[in-house]
């Protein structure tokens, strides 16, 4: 009889836990704050709440005697949160770098059906026609602000690599004179811009970090040609990982003739994208797709960010299960060692609820501490940590920084509290259901 | 060995605690098994005897630049070269431009250079006689539900046909599969005729993406590579030749520093595990102080008590670890299937098992060290008196 009742109680608790976790994951911050306030009010102003508070106080005051096993909960959860936040920060940093790239008032035009710039080829006629389309902004001289660009890969020796043959791929962009007007956030931070028609390059700061010999004044080899690096630019986005040269010279080197990969244009009317797109579509001479540069770059990051997120959550979940059982272990041991104390409390009239709340609170406090430590560690070690990968839709190394945002830290704390909740619930219920007489008899 | 039952009894003296600890150990090693599979698959790509015997020749300028087809006969003349084939990147996608499929347009003898890829002679024959023929990797065929004899359209994301459309049509003539892990990604690959590809698109104009050369003797690979590069020195199409091993390793390195990521995660996991199981062992020994004293009283020597406690913690780690790695070997194929062939991981390899068991013993020793020393130094009189 009691066996089946125990089983039913366990099952009920399990269902309750699943439901709570499902709600918890989707709870926005204000709700959590509201809950915390309600709980604090309950602790302060109701009889049961005050009882719970005093029992919790007793539990916390004895924490010092259980330092070793309490540290297991804290450090176990710190480990989970640290790894989770670091992995999510990697995905976030990658996505953020590409999200920051581009704007809503510039449009990239590529050959129809091209998944990315690298795969698009526009013939000479299209390159001439596209800048003449209505709706493009004009500069002081009255020229349309449009930059036909070519994107290719260049092999360059990697920094800190083994010998000259340890090469990596960098994205080389051949641009026209309007490229700078299209990207006002791009600043030359050292040296000067390249001269049109010369074999000169300006390099992004990210590319400079990745590859050897990209200092102004240095010469580098592309194939069998010598090019001179004349400047360094910074833009704080994905373009920083690129190397820029004059479009016609780059096309010449790569034997592309008059074809280009894309044309980037600035809209006269920042909200006129739809109209511009339909004008392009209506032109019988062109078979092109257009999207705002902001959209284009955000889309490029989707696949990779999803993969990194998936990996982060999977690793986090597996670690969380391990930490959860560590917490359960610790709290069961704590309840067992305080069995007489708890039984005494109940013998003098404390009900089950305050006892349950006290033990849950204690675990959640330890978990919160662990979560904060883990988040802080991830932030200290990984915030701004530079990594690079071959980005989807480009042909070069994309350098990006890990970004430990407040939202991610909040996610980490949420996970920590969830682990604390589950890890405290079962031991707490066991403590509350312990028959008073047996517990008191125990040595 | 004769004390095994004693160690076993000590281990399961407190069932709840031991089982909870075991679950934590199982999850740690499950994660280890999975991450190590990822690391191995990255490290193993191209790392085979075949990979050391094959050279890849690409443009020195950039990996997307093509080379003239005339190099083929010149490379074949280089001393030490057994055979040479060439291939182009097709940039295929199925049904949706974002559904990209690894696809190469290859010369007729391409598969001869890859003995580790299994293709039946009938399939080879059918491929040779079908201009629009396509050999597809087995796992890829499963993923898209392709059957031999199907006519399928593949879009090229780079090369339109002469009429400007992007839908190339192909006939599937058979499947191929990798014989070992080093060529695993051939299960995900599509091979078509270079001739059909080159004639179909106005953009390629008889050029070649890269050459694959098989050398007679792997020790000669460096010399042959230099000789091949010398063929086009100072031309407008300079080449760079590397062994397949070096080329793949360089790609993997550019993708991500997998070793570092896996290492950091495992560091965090094992540190946590150390603390957790260490705590369990401390508790277990503290509880049994008087029992250990009895053991010593009836004549067990101090070192043997030390050995028993150490054996207990190593056994704890081994039970959990082996279950964890076992779970990992069961889960990895499931994950592979669930991701629709996107995740193509080898199972838990012998190397991973060896490394894992090494970690289990090491962590077991570390965890057991403190409690075991305490047990060894136990003063019988004090312990029995409960002081």
């Amino acid at each position: 009889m009691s066996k089946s009742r125990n089983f039913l109680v366990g099952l009920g608790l399990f269902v309750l836990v699943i439901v709570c976790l499902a709600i918890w994951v989707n709870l926005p911050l204000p709700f959590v704050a509201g809950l915390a306030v309600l709980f604090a009010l309950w602790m302060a102003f109701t009889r049961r709440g005050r009882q719970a508070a005093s029992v919790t106080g007793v539990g916390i005051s004895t924490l010092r005697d259980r330092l070793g096993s309490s540290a297991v909960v804290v450090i176990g959860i710190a480990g989970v949160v640290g790894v989770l936040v670091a992995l999510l920060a990697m995905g976030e940093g990658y996505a953020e770098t590409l999200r920051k790239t581009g704007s809503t008032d510039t449009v990239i035009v590529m050959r129809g059906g091209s998944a990315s710039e690298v795969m698009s080829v526009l013939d000479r006629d299209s390159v001439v026609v596209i800048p003449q389309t209505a709706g493009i902004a004009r500069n002081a001289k009255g020229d349309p602000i449009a930059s036909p660009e070519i994107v290719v890969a260049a092999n360059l020796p990697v920094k800190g690599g083994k010998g000259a043959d340890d090469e990596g791929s960098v994205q080389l962009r051949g641009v026209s004179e309007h490229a700078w007007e299209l990207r006002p956030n791009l600043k030359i931070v050292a040296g000067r811009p390249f001269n049109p028609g010369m074999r000169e390059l300006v390099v992004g700061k990210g590319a400079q970090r990745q590859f050897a010999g990209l200092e102004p004044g240095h010469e580098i080899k592309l194939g069998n040609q010598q090019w001179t690096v004349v400047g360094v630019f910074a833009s704080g986005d994905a373009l920083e990982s690129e190397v820029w040269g004059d479009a016609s010279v780059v096309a010449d080197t790569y034997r592309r003739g008059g074809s280009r990969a894309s044309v980037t244009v600035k809209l006269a009317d920042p909200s006129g994208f739809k109209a511009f797109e339909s004008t392009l579509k209506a032109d019988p001479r062109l078979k092109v797709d257009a999207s705002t540069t902001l959209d284009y770059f955000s889309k490029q990051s989707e696949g990779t960010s999803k993969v990194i997120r998936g990996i982060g959550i999977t690793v986090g979940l597996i670690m969380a299960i391990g930490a959860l059982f560590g917490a359960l272990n610790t709290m069961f041991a704590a309840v067992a060692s305080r069995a007489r104390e708890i039984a005494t409390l109940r013998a003098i009239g404390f009900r089950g609820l305050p006892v349950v709340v006290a033990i849950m609170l204690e675990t959640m406090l330890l978990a919160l501490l662990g979560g904060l430590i883990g988040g802080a560690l991830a932030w200290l070690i990984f915030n701004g940590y530079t990594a690079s990968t071959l980005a989807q839709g480009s042909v070069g190394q994309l350098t990006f920084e890990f970004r430990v945002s407040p939202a991610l830290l909040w996610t980490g704390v949420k996970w920590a509290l969830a682990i604390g909740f589950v890890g405290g619930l079962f031991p707490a219920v066991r403590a509350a259901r312990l028959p008073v007489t047996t517990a008191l008899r125990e040595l | 060995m004769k004390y095994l039952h004693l160690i076993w009894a000590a281990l399961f003296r407190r069932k709840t605690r031991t089982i909870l600890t075991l679950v934590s150990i199982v999850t740690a090693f499950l994660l280890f098994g999975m991450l190590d599979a990822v690391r191995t698959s990255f490290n193993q790509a191209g790392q085979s005897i075949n990979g050391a015997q094959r050279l890849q020749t690409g443009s020195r300028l950039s990996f997307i630049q093509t080379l003239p087809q005339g190099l083929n006969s010149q490379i074949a003349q280089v001393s030490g070269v057994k055979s040479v084939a060439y291939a182009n990147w097709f940039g295929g996608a199925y049904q949706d431009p974002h559904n990209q499929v690894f696809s190469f347009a290859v010369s007729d003898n391409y598969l001869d250079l890859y003995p580790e890829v299994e293709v039946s002679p009938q399939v080879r024959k059918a491929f040779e006689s079908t201009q629009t023929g396509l050999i597809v990797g087995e796992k890829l065929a499963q993923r898209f539900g392709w059957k031999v004899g199907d006519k399928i359209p593949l879009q090229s994301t780079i090369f339109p046909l002469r009429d400007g459309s992007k839908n190339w049509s192909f006939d599937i003539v058979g499947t191929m599969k990798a014989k070992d892990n080093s060529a695993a990604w051939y299960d995900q690959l599509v091979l078509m005729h270079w001739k059909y590809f080159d004639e179909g698109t106005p953009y390629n104009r008889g050029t070649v993406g890269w050459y694959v050369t098989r050398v007679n003797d792997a020790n000669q690979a460096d010399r042959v590579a230099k000789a091949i590069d010398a063929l086009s020195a100072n031309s407008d199409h300079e080449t760079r030749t590397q062994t397949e091993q070096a080329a793949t390793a360089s790609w993997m390195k550019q993708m991500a520093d997998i070793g570092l990521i896996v290492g950091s995660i495992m560091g965090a996991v094992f540190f946590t595990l150390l603390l957790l199981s260490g705590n369990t062992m401390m508790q277990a020994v503290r509880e049994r102080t008087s029992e250990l004293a009895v053991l010593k009283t009836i004549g067990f020597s101090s070192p043997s008590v030390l050995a028993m406690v150490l054996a207990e913690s190593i056994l704890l780690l081994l039970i959990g670890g082996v279950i964890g790695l076992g779970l990992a070997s069961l889960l990895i194929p499931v994950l592979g299937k669930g991701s629709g062939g996107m995740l193509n991981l080898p199972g838990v390899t012998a190397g991973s098992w060896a490394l894992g068991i090494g970690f289990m013993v090491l962590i077991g020793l570390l965890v057991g060290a403190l409690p075991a020393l305490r047990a060894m130094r136990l003063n019988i009189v004090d312990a029995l008196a409960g002081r």
Side-chain angles (χ1 to χ4, degrees):
Chain A
M1 182 67 215
S2 72
K3 262 238 158 74
S4 66
R5 235 185 83 191
N6 272 346
F7 175 75
L8 280 180
V9 169
L11 192 74
L13 274 183
F14 187 72
V15 172
L16 175 78
V17 164
I18 300 295
V19 171
C20 282
L21 284 186
I23 296 170
W24 176 239
V25 167
N26 299 313
L27 216 53
L29 189 54
F31 268 90
V32 178
L35 273 182
V37 169
L38 275 181
F39 186 74
L41 287 176
W42 177 79
M43 295 259 293
F45 294 108
T46 65
R47 180 147 176 268
R48 284 269 184 290
R50 280 201 299 275
Q51 284 182 352
S54 61
V55 178
T56 312
V58 172
I60 290 174
S61 67
T62 58
L63 262 184
R64 198 171 305 163
D65 308 332
R66 293 176 278 124
L67 210 52
S69 54
S70 307
V72 170
V73 180
V74 176
I75 295 189
I77 288 174
V80 178
V81 172
V83 169
L84 177 79
V85 171
L87 283 171
L88 291 180
M90 178 159 79
E92 179 64 23
Y94 177 85
E96 180 67 12
T97 304
L98 284 161
R99 267 203 305 264
K100 273 196 312 210
T101 313
S103 63
T104 48
D105 64 345
T106 53
V107 175
I108 181 165
V109 183
M110 294 180 290
R111 182 181 66 188
S114 304
S116 68
E117 245 183 312
V118 181
M119 297 174 172
S120 152
V121 180
L122 294 169
D123 54 26
R124 185 193 294 270
D125 299 345
S126 309
V127 172
V128 173
V129 171
I130 292 166
Q132 310 305 331
T133 313
I136 299 179
R138 292 179 180 266
N139 63 6
K141 280 192 248 166
D143 300 335
I145 302 177
S147 170
E149 295 178 359
I150 181 169
V151 174
V152 290
N155 287 331
L156 288 177
V158 184
K159 227 177 204 160
K162 296 178 285 289
D165 239 15
D166 195 355
E167 290 185 333
S169 193
V170 67
Q171 184 153 297
L172 169 61
R173 183 183 292 272
V175 298
S176 82
E177 73 231 276
H178 294 298
W180 314 96
E181 294 168 68
L182 283 162
R183 304 174 180 93
N185 61 329
L186 204 134
K187 302 270 181 292
I188 296 278
V189 291
R192 57 173 175 84
F194 60 83
N195 288 323
M198 307 276 285
R199 283 191 199 149
E200 292 181 345
L201 295 170
V202 289
V203 300
K205 274 176 74 171
Q208 196 185 22
R209 239 194 320 245
Q210 255 339 293
F211 297 96
L214 296 186
E215 271 72 42
H218 272 254
E219 288 209 335
I220 55 170
K221 270 191 85 150
L222 294 182
N224 60 351
Q225 299 180 348
Q226 293 287 345
W227 289 64
T228 315
V229 178
V230 295
V232 181
F233 66 84
S235 59
D237 57 18
L239 297 175
E240 246 184 34
S241 305
E242 297 182 347
V243 169
W244 285 17
D246 182 62
S248 51
V249 187
V250 172
D252 214 36
T253 305
Y254 284 76
R255 303 197 293 281
R256 295 295 162 95
S259 75
R260 296 287 181 268
S262 66
V263 179
T264 306
V265 305
K266 189 173 171 69
L267 294 173
D269 166 15
S271 54
F273 170 69
K274 280 272 171 284
F276 178 73
E277 192 185 15
S278 43
T279 318
L280 279 178
K281 291 272 184 227
D283 194 324
R285 295 167 298 175
L286 296 174
K287 262 214 196 115
V288 293
D289 285 344
S291 66
T292 64
T293 50
L294 191 70
D295 272 354
Y296 170 79
F297 283 105
S298 302
K299 259 209 192 69
Q300 295 294 343
S301 76
E302 266 169 20
T304 309
S305 308
K306 225 187 258 159
V307 169
I308 300 178
R309 257 194 85 80
I311 292 170
I313 303 259
T314 312
V315 170
L317 267 179
I318 296 176
M319 282 184 77
I321 292 170
L324 170 65
F325 278 85
L328 279 174
N329 206 352
T330 301
M331 291 324 284
F332 272 129
V335 167
S337 69
R338 292 167 57 197
R340 285 188 77 177
E341 180 195 326
I342 292 167
T344 311
L345 282 173
R346 290 181 44 215
I348 59 176
F350 280 82
R351 304 306 295 264
L353 184 69
V355 174
V356 170
V357 168
I359 290 172
M360 300 264 307
L361 256 187
E362 193 180 308
T363 323
M364 297 210 14
L365 279 175
L366 289 174
L368 179 66
L369 187 63
L372 291 175
I373 292 176
L377 277 178
W379 186 79
L380 281 174
I381 301 173
F382 287 111
N383 197 28
Y385 181 88
T386 316
S388 73
T389 180
L390 282 170
Q392 229 178 349
S394 87
V395 286
Q397 296 258 298
L398 176 79
T399 312
F400 62 95
E401 284 187 351
F402 282 42
R403 222 172 135 265
V404 182
S405 63
L408 286 187
L409 289 175
W410 170 233
T411 307
V413 168
K414 249 180 160 170
W415 276 58
L417 288 175
I419 297 169
F421 177 82
V422 182
L425 185 65
F426 292 91
V429 170
R430 173 192 273 195
R433 289 168 48 91
L434 216 56
V436 176
T437 43
T438 30
L440 281 176
R441 241 180 261 127
E442 264 193 23
L443 269 177
Chain B
M1 241 23 265
K2 65 181 173 185
Y3 298 129
L4 187 66
H5 64 281
L6 198 58
I7 296 166
W8 192 264
L11 195 56
F12 287 97
R13 174 198 162 101
R14 288 257 178 178
K15 275 202 183 59
T16 327
R17 186 177 59 212
T18 304
I19 286 169
L20 290 176
T21 311
L22 272 177
V23 174
S24 297
I25 299 173
V26 166
T27 52
F29 278 94
L30 165 68
L31 196 58
F32 167 81
M34 286 163 121
L35 289 174
D36 213 52
V38 173
R39 193 183 59 91
T40 336
S41 77
F42 258 70
N43 283 352
Q44 268 187 351
Q47 303 303 312
S48 62
I49 311 287
N50 288 310
Q53 284 190 338
R54 275 194 299 262
L55 301 174
Q56 289 193 346
T57 304
S59 161
R60 177 169 288 281
L61 187 58
S62 123
F63 73 91
I64 55 173
Q65 199 64 13
T66 52
L67 299 166
Q69 208 206 330
L71 266 178
N72 194 46
S73 51
Q74 288 181 282
I75 293 175
Q77 301 295 323
V78 172
S79 74
V81 169
K82 195 169 165 187
S83 51
V84 56
Y86 50 87
N88 270 59
W89 183 256
F90 177 74
Y94 185 58
Q95 288 171 335
D96 173 340
H98 291 280
N99 216 348
Q100 298 206 4
V101 177
F102 285 115
S103 38
F104 294 169
V106 297
S107 60
D108 295 336
N109 63 342
Y110 182 85
L111 278 166
D112 298 340
L113 278 81
Y114 287 85
E116 68 267 47
V117 178
E118 202 175 311
V119 185
S120 69
Q122 296 88 340
V123 171
R124 284 295 299 268
K125 228 186 175 64
F127 184 57
E128 268 156 36
S129 60
T130 318
Q131 194 203 1
T132 54
L134 205 62
I135 299 183
V136 295
E138 214 165 56
K139 292 201 169 136
L140 193 71
Q142 283 167 9
R143 185 174 141 198
F144 291 126
W146 291 336
K147 303 268 175 304
V148 174
D150 283 1
K151 210 174 189 51
I152 58 157
L154 274 188
Q155 307 171 0
S156 168
T157 51
I158 314 172
F159 301 100
L161 288 151
R162 292 200 182 277
D163 60 9
S165 91
K166 294 194 149 188
N167 282 326
W168 296 63
S169 105
F170 293 99
D171 295 290
I172 296 180
V173 297
T175 59
M176 58 186 168
K177 76 169 197 272
K179 288 180 195 167
D180 62 42
N181 276 337
S182 66
W185 75 294
Y186 272 80
D187 289 341
Q188 309 280 345
L189 190 71
V190 165
L191 297 179
M192 65 190 68
H193 282 289
W194 181 86
K195 214 169 156 58
Y196 175 56
F197 157 78
D198 184 52
E199 286 167 1
T201 182
Y203 287 97
N204 193 47
R205 297 193 294 265
T207 57
V208 164
W210 66 95
Y211 288 95
V212 183
T213 312
R214 204 176 175 85
V215 293
N216 290 321
D217 172 11
N219 299 326
Q220 295 284 316
D222 273 354
R223 182 190 60 77
V224 176
K226 285 199 175 66
I228 291 175
D229 284 344
L231 294 174
S232 2
N234 299 322
S235 70
D236 64 349
H237 56 261
E238 287 200 326
T239 59
R240 185 163 65 122
T241 307
Q242 290 175 291
T243 62
E244 195 173 282
Q245 277 186 353
T248 318
S250 141
W251 273 115
M252 292 296 178
K253 209 175 79 186
Q254 289 193 60
M255 278 302 287
D257 196 341
I258 291 287
L260 180 77
I261 296 173
V262 169
S264 335
I265 297 176
M266 282 330 296
V269 172
F270 281 151
F271 177 71
T272 318
L273 185 69
L274 213 59
L275 206 92
L276 193 141
S277 35
N279 185 47
T280 300
M281 281 307 294
M282 282 300 256
Q283 278 180 345
V285 171
R286 208 175 297 138
E287 259 174 21
R288 297 210 313 266
T289 307
S290 56
E291 282 173 43
L292 289 169
V294 171
L295 282 182
K296 282 179 138 179
T297 312
I298 58 177
F300 278 81
S301 66
S302 288
S304 66
V305 171
L306 173 95
M308 269 169 71
V309 176
L310 275 183
E312 187 184 328
S313 74
I314 291 174
L315 188 64
L316 178 75
L317 261 294
L318 277 176
I319 295 172
V322 169
I323 294 175
L325 280 180
L327 269 181
S329 9
L330 291 178
L331 267 179
I332 289 170
V334 175
L335 274 180
K337 278 205 173 60
S339 65
M342 292 295 291
L343 266 178
N344 190 18
L345 295 175
V348 181
T349 53
S352 294
W353 273 104
L355 192 62
I357 287 173
F359 272 124
M360 291 169 211
V361 174
L362 180 73
I363 295 175
L365 282 173
L366 285 173
V367 160
L370 265 180
L373 280 175
R374 275 188 55 169
M376 187 179 87
R377 293 192 185 135
L378 210 57
N379 182 328
I380 297 179
V381 181
D382 284 349
L384 284 178
R387 282 197 289 266

